[in-house]
Amino acid sequence: MMDFTNQTVLVTGSSRGIGLAIAQAFDAAGAKLILHARSEIKPEIIALFKQEPQVLQFDIADAEAAEASLKALYKQDDFDGIDVLVNNAGITKDQLAMALAPADFAAVVNVNLNGTFNVTQPVFKKMIRQKHGAIINLSSVVGQMGNMGQSNYAASKAGIIGLTKSLAKEGARRNIRVNAVAPGMIVSDMTSVLPEATQTEILKNIPLSRFGSAEEVADAVLFLAENSYITGQTLTVDGGLYI
């Protein structure tokens, strides 16, 4: 069992799905949690945690809102800093490229890629001063291999991999590790609405012949947060889809 006792962990987009599973895994490992969502997190979600988490509410695409919220967090008298940042929040607006509205391309890149930077930059500055920290960015197998109807999402997630590598080089001298996790087809609200025929076709390309779980993605995130000699890497959690 990994032990994150006395470590403070911020997980963006942690009110549901993969983000919630990641937050719960850190909670089980003893971490002090900071949850984040764009809208209010329901009391029944808060009740899932052993230790009552702090909650941040802002749109990651809004750089000023992200910075203001994080500055207020660091100004708390009893706040010692963030040890682990998990950038999970993101959106999709799928459409074939020939029919994709420029606004929808920009919106996905703005939330997924720019939003990841908007949250990371203020935290990264503090980690530089505290001379330690771990950042895990949620990319996607789509950012590695592309996918029909997801040019905007693929571009944003590929950008996250490039951002991860650059930050890893910048942070290494101050003992800050930056890695990415690239999930494949994970059981979620997004995959549950796919027609059965589509799911069957996708499974043909997954050597392990099943979709993954949010908990399996969370395991990968905790592994990268704990291991002290891995940085600048992308850990693909996809059942072999991208071999």
Side-chain angles (χ1 to χ4, degrees), residues 33-63:
L33 260 295
I34 305 170
L35 305 183
H36 159 270
R38 185 172 57 180
S39 55
E40 184 178 359
I41 297 179
K42 297 177 180 178
E44 54 265 36
I45 298 298
I46 303 296
L48 295 173
F49 294 86
K50 294 189 298 182
Q51 301 183 65
E52 184 172 353
Q54 291 195 64
V55 177
L56 300 181
Q57 184 180 339
F58 60 87
D59 183 352
I60 65 169
D62 185 335

PDB file of all heavy atoms in Angstrom, residues 33-63:
ATOM      1  N   LEU A  33      -6.453  15.799   0.860  1.00  0.00           N
ATOM      2  CA  LEU A  33      -6.970  16.042  -0.479  1.00  0.00           C
ATOM      3  C   LEU A  33      -7.492  17.454  -0.672  1.00  0.00           C
ATOM      4  O   LEU A  33      -8.120  18.035   0.224  1.00  0.00           O
ATOM      5  CB  LEU A  33      -8.113  15.066  -0.794  1.00  0.00           C
ATOM      6  CG  LEU A  33      -7.768  13.844  -1.650  1.00  0.00           C
ATOM      7  CD1 LEU A  33      -7.354  14.239  -3.041  1.00  0.00           C
ATOM      8  CD2 LEU A  33      -6.696  13.010  -1.002  1.00  0.00           C
ATOM      9  N   ILE A  34      -7.228  17.981  -1.868  1.00  0.00           N
ATOM     10  CA  ILE A  34      -7.888  19.187  -2.343  1.00  0.00           C
ATOM     11  C   ILE A  34      -8.617  18.804  -3.620  1.00  0.00           C
ATOM     12  O   ILE A  34      -7.986  18.445  -4.620  1.00  0.00           O
ATOM     13  CB  ILE A  34      -6.893  20.320  -2.631  1.00  0.00           C
ATOM     14  CG1 ILE A  34      -6.032  20.614  -1.414  1.00  0.00           C
ATOM     15  CG2 ILE A  34      -7.645  21.573  -3.083  1.00  0.00           C
ATOM     16  CD1 ILE A  34      -4.872  21.548  -1.701  1.00  0.00           C
ATOM     17  N   LEU A  35      -9.934  18.834  -3.560  1.00  0.00           N
ATOM     18  CA  LEU A  35     -10.743  18.521  -4.733  1.00  0.00           C
ATOM     19  C   LEU A  35     -10.959  19.788  -5.557  1.00  0.00           C
ATOM     20  O   LEU A  35     -10.870  20.898  -5.045  1.00  0.00           O
ATOM     21  CB  LEU A  35     -12.095  17.942  -4.325  1.00  0.00           C
ATOM     22  CG  LEU A  35     -12.094  16.716  -3.423  1.00  0.00           C
ATOM     23  CD1 LEU A  35     -13.532  16.252  -3.185  1.00  0.00           C
ATOM     24  CD2 LEU A  35     -11.271  15.590  -4.020  1.00  0.00           C
ATOM     25  N   HIS A  36     -11.254  19.608  -6.818  1.00  0.00           N
ATOM     26  CA  HIS A  36     -11.532  20.746  -7.696  1.00  0.00           C
ATOM     27  C   HIS A  36     -12.628  20.359  -8.684  1.00  0.00           C
ATOM     28  O   HIS A  36     -12.695  19.221  -9.160  1.00  0.00           O
ATOM     29  CB  HIS A  36     -10.296  21.165  -8.490  1.00  0.00           C
ATOM     30  CG  HIS A  36     -10.645  21.957  -9.719  1.00  0.00           C
ATOM     31  ND1 HIS A  36     -10.870  21.344 -10.942  1.00  0.00           N
ATOM     32  CD2 HIS A  36     -10.885  23.284  -9.903  1.00  0.00           C
ATOM     33  CE1 HIS A  36     -11.212  22.271 -11.833  1.00  0.00           C
ATOM     34  NE2 HIS A  36     -11.208  23.447 -11.235  1.00  0.00           N
ATOM     35  N   ALA A  37     -13.470  21.321  -8.985  1.00  0.00           N
ATOM     36  CA  ALA A  37     -14.465  21.157 -10.042  1.00  0.00           C
ATOM     37  C   ALA A  37     -14.849  22.538 -10.559  1.00  0.00           C
ATOM     38  O   ALA A  37     -14.612  23.553  -9.892  1.00  0.00           O
ATOM     39  CB  ALA A  37     -15.700  20.423  -9.539  1.00  0.00           C
ATOM     40  N   ARG A  38     -15.429  22.573 -11.737  1.00  0.00           N
ATOM     41  CA  ARG A  38     -15.884  23.855 -12.294  1.00  0.00           C
ATOM     42  C   ARG A  38     -17.155  24.315 -11.612  1.00  0.00           C
ATOM     43  O   ARG A  38     -17.405  25.509 -11.456  1.00  0.00           O
ATOM     44  CB  ARG A  38     -16.108  23.705 -13.802  1.00  0.00           C
ATOM     45  CG  ARG A  38     -16.471  24.993 -14.514  1.00  0.00           C
ATOM     46  CD  ARG A  38     -16.476  24.812 -16.004  1.00  0.00           C
ATOM     47  NE  ARG A  38     -17.393  23.753 -16.422  1.00  0.00           N
ATOM     48  CZ  ARG A  38     -17.582  23.386 -17.685  1.00  0.00           C
ATOM     49  NH1 ARG A  38     -16.884  23.974 -18.646  1.00  0.00           N
ATOM     50  NH2 ARG A  38     -18.433  22.436 -17.989  1.00  0.00           N
ATOM     51  N   SER A  39     -17.977  23.346 -11.182  1.00  0.00           N
ATOM     52  CA  SER A  39     -19.219  23.662 -10.472  1.00  0.00           C
ATOM     53  C   SER A  39     -19.153  23.075  -9.067  1.00  0.00           C
ATOM     54  O   SER A  39     -18.197  22.384  -8.711  1.00  0.00           O
ATOM     55  CB  SER A  39     -20.429  23.111 -11.233  1.00  0.00           C
ATOM     56  OG  SER A  39     -20.282  21.722 -11.466  1.00  0.00           O
ATOM     57  N   GLU A  40     -20.170  23.329  -8.286  1.00  0.00           N
ATOM     58  CA  GLU A  40     -20.183  22.894  -6.888  1.00  0.00           C
ATOM     59  C   GLU A  40     -20.116  21.369  -6.784  1.00  0.00           C
ATOM     60  O   GLU A  40     -20.790  20.653  -7.523  1.00  0.00           O
ATOM     61  CB  GLU A  40     -21.457  23.395  -6.200  1.00  0.00           C
ATOM     62  CG  GLU A  40     -21.523  23.078  -4.722  1.00  0.00           C
ATOM     63  CD  GLU A  40     -22.777  23.618  -4.064  1.00  0.00           C
ATOM     64  OE1 GLU A  40     -23.591  24.257  -4.773  1.00  0.00           O
ATOM     65  OE2 GLU A  40     -22.947  23.412  -2.853  1.00  0.00           O
ATOM     66  N   ILE A  41     -19.302  20.874  -5.858  1.00  0.00           N
ATOM     67  CA  ILE A  41     -19.203  19.439  -5.621  1.00  0.00           C
ATOM     68  C   ILE A  41     -20.253  19.041  -4.585  1.00  0.00           C
ATOM     69  O   ILE A  41     -20.334  19.633  -3.513  1.00  0.00           O
ATOM     70  CB  ILE A  41     -17.790  19.053  -5.136  1.00  0.00           C
ATOM     71  CG1 ILE A  41     -16.765  19.377  -6.226  1.00  0.00           C
ATOM     72  CG2 ILE A  41     -17.730  17.563  -4.792  1.00  0.00           C
ATOM     73  CD1 ILE A  41     -15.334  19.049  -5.842  1.00  0.00           C
ATOM     74  N   LYS A  42     -21.044  18.047  -4.910  1.00  0.00           N
ATOM     75  CA  LYS A  42     -22.165  17.656  -4.066  1.00  0.00           C
ATOM     76  C   LYS A  42     -21.693  17.061  -2.729  1.00  0.00           C
ATOM     77  O   LYS A  42     -20.641  16.407  -2.674  1.00  0.00           O
ATOM     78  CB  LYS A  42     -23.049  16.649  -4.802  1.00  0.00           C
ATOM     79  CG  LYS A  42     -23.692  17.212  -6.070  1.00  0.00           C
ATOM     80  CD  LYS A  42     -24.501  16.148  -6.785  1.00  0.00           C
ATOM     81  CE  LYS A  42     -25.142  16.709  -8.063  1.00  0.00           C
ATOM     82  NZ  LYS A  42     -25.906  15.685  -8.807  1.00  0.00           N
ATOM     83  N   PRO A  43     -22.479  17.269  -1.661  1.00  0.00           N
ATOM     84  CA  PRO A  43     -22.109  16.738  -0.342  1.00  0.00           C
ATOM     85  C   PRO A  43     -21.890  15.231  -0.341  1.00  0.00           C
ATOM     86  O   PRO A  43     -21.040  14.727   0.405  1.00  0.00           O
ATOM     87  CB  PRO A  43     -23.303  17.121   0.538  1.00  0.00           C
ATOM     88  CG  PRO A  43     -23.895  18.317  -0.133  1.00  0.00           C
ATOM     89  CD  PRO A  43     -23.700  18.091  -1.602  1.00  0.00           C
ATOM     90  N   GLU A  44     -22.652  14.502  -1.150  1.00  0.00           N
ATOM     91  CA  GLU A  44     -22.488  13.048  -1.176  1.00  0.00           C
ATOM     92  C   GLU A  44     -21.136  12.624  -1.747  1.00  0.00           C
ATOM     93  O   GLU A  44     -20.640  11.532  -1.443  1.00  0.00           O
ATOM     94  CB  GLU A  44     -23.628  12.370  -1.951  1.00  0.00           C
ATOM     95  CG  GLU A  44     -23.857  12.884  -3.352  1.00  0.00           C
ATOM     96  CD  GLU A  44     -24.945  13.949  -3.408  1.00  0.00           C
ATOM     97  OE1 GLU A  44     -25.056  14.758  -2.464  1.00  0.00           O
ATOM     98  OE2 GLU A  44     -25.679  13.956  -4.425  1.00  0.00           O
ATOM     99  N   ILE A  45     -20.523  13.471  -2.561  1.00  0.00           N
ATOM    100  CA  ILE A  45     -19.171  13.193  -3.051  1.00  0.00           C
ATOM    101  C   ILE A  45     -18.165  13.452  -1.935  1.00  0.00           C
ATOM    102  O   ILE A  45     -17.262  12.641  -1.691  1.00  0.00           O
ATOM    103  CB  ILE A  45     -18.846  14.056  -4.286  1.00  0.00           C
ATOM    104  CG1 ILE A  45     -19.800  13.727  -5.447  1.00  0.00           C
ATOM    105  CG2 ILE A  45     -17.390  13.852  -4.703  1.00  0.00           C
ATOM    106  CD1 ILE A  45     -19.724  12.307  -5.935  1.00  0.00           C
ATOM    107  N   ILE A  46     -18.322  14.555  -1.247  1.00  0.00           N
ATOM    108  CA  ILE A  46     -17.433  14.886  -0.125  1.00  0.00           C
ATOM    109  C   ILE A  46     -17.464  13.780   0.928  1.00  0.00           C
ATOM    110  O   ILE A  46     -16.445  13.427   1.525  1.00  0.00           O
ATOM    111  CB  ILE A  46     -17.844  16.223   0.528  1.00  0.00           C
ATOM    112  CG1 ILE A  46     -17.832  17.359  -0.513  1.00  0.00           C
ATOM    113  CG2 ILE A  46     -16.932  16.552   1.707  1.00  0.00           C
ATOM    114  CD1 ILE A  46     -16.494  17.661  -1.096  1.00  0.00           C
ATOM    115  N   ALA A  47     -18.645  13.194   1.115  1.00  0.00           N
ATOM    116  CA  ALA A  47     -18.818  12.169   2.144  1.00  0.00           C
ATOM    117  C   ALA A  47     -18.078  10.869   1.827  1.00  0.00           C
ATOM    118  O   ALA A  47     -17.930  10.012   2.707  1.00  0.00           O
ATOM    119  CB  ALA A  47     -20.306  11.878   2.338  1.00  0.00           C
ATOM    120  N   LEU A  48     -17.608  10.711   0.609  1.00  0.00           N
ATOM    121  CA  LEU A  48     -16.899   9.493   0.218  1.00  0.00           C
ATOM    122  C   LEU A  48     -15.491   9.417   0.816  1.00  0.00           C
ATOM    123  O   LEU A  48     -14.883   8.350   0.816  1.00  0.00           O
ATOM    124  CB  LEU A  48     -16.790   9.408  -1.306  1.00  0.00           C
ATOM    125  CG  LEU A  48     -18.102   9.262  -2.093  1.00  0.00           C
ATOM    126  CD1 LEU A  48     -17.820   9.361  -3.597  1.00  0.00           C
ATOM    127  CD2 LEU A  48     -18.766   7.932  -1.766  1.00  0.00           C
ATOM    128  N   PHE A  49     -14.986  10.539   1.331  1.00  0.00           N
ATOM    129  CA  PHE A  49     -13.597  10.602   1.754  1.00  0.00           C
ATOM    130  C   PHE A  49     -13.445  10.418   3.262  1.00  0.00           C
ATOM    131  O   PHE A  49     -14.256  10.891   4.046  1.00  0.00           O
ATOM    132  CB  PHE A  49     -12.982  11.939   1.324  1.00  0.00           C
ATOM    133  CG  PHE A  49     -12.892  12.080  -0.172  1.00  0.00           C
ATOM    134  CD1 PHE A  49     -13.964  12.571  -0.904  1.00  0.00           C
ATOM    135  CD2 PHE A  49     -11.749  11.673  -0.843  1.00  0.00           C
ATOM    136  CE1 PHE A  49     -13.889  12.670  -2.281  1.00  0.00           C
ATOM    137  CE2 PHE A  49     -11.667  11.772  -2.216  1.00  0.00           C
ATOM    138  CZ  PHE A  49     -12.743  12.275  -2.940  1.00  0.00           C
ATOM    139  N   LYS A  50     -12.380   9.717   3.644  1.00  0.00           N
ATOM    140  CA  LYS A  50     -12.103   9.478   5.061  1.00  0.00           C
ATOM    141  C   LYS A  50     -11.758  10.782   5.768  1.00  0.00           C
ATOM    142  O   LYS A  50     -12.198  11.028   6.887  1.00  0.00           O
ATOM    143  CB  LYS A  50     -10.943   8.480   5.203  1.00  0.00           C
ATOM    144  CG  LYS A  50     -11.236   7.082   4.700  1.00  0.00           C
ATOM    145  CD  LYS A  50     -10.123   6.116   5.070  1.00  0.00           C
ATOM    146  CE  LYS A  50      -8.802   6.507   4.440  1.00  0.00           C
ATOM    147  NZ  LYS A  50      -7.717   5.536   4.748  1.00  0.00           N
ATOM    148  N   GLN A  51     -10.926  11.581   5.128  1.00  0.00           N
ATOM    149  CA  GLN A  51     -10.580  12.896   5.645  1.00  0.00           C
ATOM    150  C   GLN A  51     -11.319  13.942   4.812  1.00  0.00           C
ATOM    151  O   GLN A  51     -11.300  13.878   3.587  1.00  0.00           O
ATOM    152  CB  GLN A  51      -9.075  13.150   5.541  1.00  0.00           C
ATOM    153  CG  GLN A  51      -8.200  12.153   6.272  1.00  0.00           C
ATOM    154  CD  GLN A  51      -6.737  12.532   6.157  1.00  0.00           C
ATOM    155  OE1 GLN A  51      -6.309  13.559   6.670  1.00  0.00           O
ATOM    156  NE2 GLN A  51      -5.962  11.700   5.475  1.00  0.00           N
ATOM    157  N   GLU A  52     -11.956  14.891   5.471  1.00  0.00           N
ATOM    158  CA  GLU A  52     -12.721  15.885   4.718  1.00  0.00           C
ATOM    159  C   GLU A  52     -11.777  16.726   3.860  1.00  0.00           C
ATOM    160  O   GLU A  52     -10.847  17.359   4.363  1.00  0.00           O
ATOM    161  CB  GLU A  52     -13.499  16.800   5.660  1.00  0.00           C
ATOM    162  CG  GLU A  52     -14.386  17.780   4.902  1.00  0.00           C
ATOM    163  CD  GLU A  52     -15.306  18.575   5.809  1.00  0.00           C
ATOM    164  OE1 GLU A  52     -15.337  18.272   7.019  1.00  0.00           O
ATOM    165  OE2 GLU A  52     -15.975  19.489   5.311  1.00  0.00           O
ATOM    166  N   PRO A  53     -11.998  16.739   2.560  1.00  0.00           N
ATOM    167  CA  PRO A  53     -11.094  17.485   1.678  1.00  0.00           C
ATOM    168  C   PRO A  53     -11.445  18.966   1.603  1.00  0.00           C
ATOM    169  O   PRO A  53     -12.579  19.365   1.872  1.00  0.00           O
ATOM    170  CB  PRO A  53     -11.333  16.813   0.320  1.00  0.00           C
ATOM    171  CG  PRO A  53     -12.755  16.352   0.388  1.00  0.00           C
ATOM    172  CD  PRO A  53     -13.011  15.981   1.820  1.00  0.00           C
ATOM    173  N   GLN A  54     -10.459  19.765   1.233  1.00  0.00           N
ATOM    174  CA  GLN A  54     -10.739  21.128   0.825  1.00  0.00           C
ATOM    175  C   GLN A  54     -11.314  21.084  -0.585  1.00  0.00           C
ATOM    176  O   GLN A  54     -11.092  20.114  -1.323  1.00  0.00           O
ATOM    177  CB  GLN A  54      -9.473  21.986   0.823  1.00  0.00           C
ATOM    178  CG  GLN A  54      -8.910  22.268   2.192  1.00  0.00           C
ATOM    179  CD  GLN A  54      -7.898  23.400   2.152  1.00  0.00           C
ATOM    180  OE1 GLN A  54      -8.239  24.534   1.837  1.00  0.00           O
ATOM    181  NE2 GLN A  54      -6.649  23.088   2.481  1.00  0.00           N
ATOM    182  N   VAL A  55     -12.008  22.130  -0.977  1.00  0.00           N
ATOM    183  CA  VAL A  55     -12.623  22.158  -2.304  1.00  0.00           C
ATOM    184  C   VAL A  55     -12.327  23.489  -2.986  1.00  0.00           C
ATOM    185  O   VAL A  55     -12.500  24.555  -2.385  1.00  0.00           O
ATOM    186  CB  VAL A  55     -14.156  21.960  -2.223  1.00  0.00           C
ATOM    187  CG1 VAL A  55     -14.782  22.066  -3.611  1.00  0.00           C
ATOM    188  CG2 VAL A  55     -14.483  20.605  -1.596  1.00  0.00           C
ATOM    189  N   LEU A  56     -11.861  23.421  -4.221  1.00  0.00           N
ATOM    190  CA  LEU A  56     -11.665  24.600  -5.051  1.00  0.00           C
ATOM    191  C   LEU A  56     -12.665  24.557  -6.196  1.00  0.00           C
ATOM    192  O   LEU A  56     -12.918  23.488  -6.765  1.00  0.00           O
ATOM    193  CB  LEU A  56     -10.247  24.645  -5.622  1.00  0.00           C
ATOM    194  CG  LEU A  56      -9.086  24.686  -4.630  1.00  0.00           C
ATOM    195  CD1 LEU A  56      -7.756  24.757  -5.380  1.00  0.00           C
ATOM    196  CD2 LEU A  56      -9.217  25.860  -3.672  1.00  0.00           C
ATOM    197  N   GLN A  57     -13.210  25.709  -6.535  1.00  0.00           N
ATOM    198  CA  GLN A  57     -14.190  25.782  -7.616  1.00  0.00           C
ATOM    199  C   GLN A  57     -13.808  26.910  -8.576  1.00  0.00           C
ATOM    200  O   GLN A  57     -13.857  28.085  -8.216  1.00  0.00           O
ATOM    201  CB  GLN A  57     -15.599  26.016  -7.058  1.00  0.00           C
ATOM    202  CG  GLN A  57     -16.689  26.018  -8.125  1.00  0.00           C
ATOM    203  CD  GLN A  57     -18.076  26.243  -7.535  1.00  0.00           C
ATOM    204  OE1 GLN A  57     -18.303  26.021  -6.351  1.00  0.00           O
ATOM    205  NE2 GLN A  57     -18.993  26.691  -8.372  1.00  0.00           N
ATOM    206  N   PHE A  58     -13.389  26.539  -9.774  1.00  0.00           N
ATOM    207  CA  PHE A  58     -13.082  27.518 -10.809  1.00  0.00           C
ATOM    208  C   PHE A  58     -12.969  26.798 -12.155  1.00  0.00           C
ATOM    209  O   PHE A  58     -12.818  25.577 -12.205  1.00  0.00           O
ATOM    210  CB  PHE A  58     -11.788  28.292 -10.513  1.00  0.00           C
ATOM    211  CG  PHE A  58     -10.544  27.428 -10.399  1.00  0.00           C
ATOM    212  CD1 PHE A  58      -9.799  27.081 -11.519  1.00  0.00           C
ATOM    213  CD2 PHE A  58     -10.114  26.980  -9.154  1.00  0.00           C
ATOM    214  CE1 PHE A  58      -8.663  26.294 -11.418  1.00  0.00           C
ATOM    215  CE2 PHE A  58      -8.976  26.194  -9.044  1.00  0.00           C
ATOM    216  CZ  PHE A  58      -8.249  25.853 -10.174  1.00  0.00           C
ATOM    217  N   ASP A  59     -13.040  27.571 -13.224  1.00  0.00           N
ATOM    218  CA  ASP A  59     -12.894  27.047 -14.581  1.00  0.00           C
ATOM    219  C   ASP A  59     -11.415  27.087 -14.933  1.00  0.00           C
ATOM    220  O   ASP A  59     -10.802  28.163 -14.968  1.00  0.00           O
ATOM    221  CB  ASP A  59     -13.704  27.912 -15.548  1.00  0.00           C
ATOM    222  CG  ASP A  59     -13.668  27.396 -16.978  1.00  0.00           C
ATOM    223  OD1 ASP A  59     -12.901  26.454 -17.276  1.00  0.00           O
ATOM    224  OD2 ASP A  59     -14.414  27.948 -17.815  1.00  0.00           O
ATOM    225  N   ILE A  60     -10.803  25.941 -15.204  1.00  0.00           N
ATOM    226  CA  ILE A  60      -9.368  25.911 -15.482  1.00  0.00           C
ATOM    227  C   ILE A  60      -9.010  26.685 -16.750  1.00  0.00           C
ATOM    228  O   ILE A  60      -7.856  27.092 -16.929  1.00  0.00           O
ATOM    229  CB  ILE A  60      -8.812  24.467 -15.559  1.00  0.00           C
ATOM    230  CG1 ILE A  60      -9.403  23.709 -16.743  1.00  0.00           C
ATOM    231  CG2 ILE A  60      -9.025  23.735 -14.247  1.00  0.00           C
ATOM    232  CD1 ILE A  60      -8.696  22.379 -17.017  1.00  0.00           C
ATOM    233  N   ALA A  61      -9.975  26.891 -17.636  1.00  0.00           N
ATOM    234  CA  ALA A  61      -9.718  27.652 -18.855  1.00  0.00           C
ATOM    235  C   ALA A  61      -9.568  29.141 -18.578  1.00  0.00           C
ATOM    236  O   ALA A  61      -9.086  29.894 -19.436  1.00  0.00           O
ATOM    237  CB  ALA A  61     -10.834  27.426 -19.875  1.00  0.00           C
ATOM    238  N   ASP A  62      -9.954  29.572 -17.402  1.00  0.00           N
ATOM    239  CA  ASP A  62      -9.853  30.970 -16.997  1.00  0.00           C
ATOM    240  C   ASP A  62      -8.574  31.136 -16.172  1.00  0.00           C
ATOM    241  O   ASP A  62      -8.533  30.822 -14.985  1.00  0.00           O
ATOM    242  CB  ASP A  62     -11.083  31.358 -16.164  1.00  0.00           C
ATOM    243  CG  ASP A  62     -11.130  32.827 -15.800  1.00  0.00           C
ATOM    244  OD1 ASP A  62     -10.061  33.467 -15.748  1.00  0.00           O
ATOM    245  OD2 ASP A  62     -12.244  33.339 -15.541  1.00  0.00           O
ATOM    246  N   ALA A  63      -7.524  31.646 -16.815  1.00  0.00           N
ATOM    247  CA  ALA A  63      -6.216  31.735 -16.161  1.00  0.00           C
ATOM    248  C   ALA A  63      -6.262  32.607 -14.914  1.00  0.00           C
ATOM    249  O   ALA A  63      -5.644  32.282 -13.890  1.00  0.00           O
ATOM    250  CB  ALA A  63      -5.179  32.274 -17.145  1.00  0.00           C
TER     251      ALA A  63
END
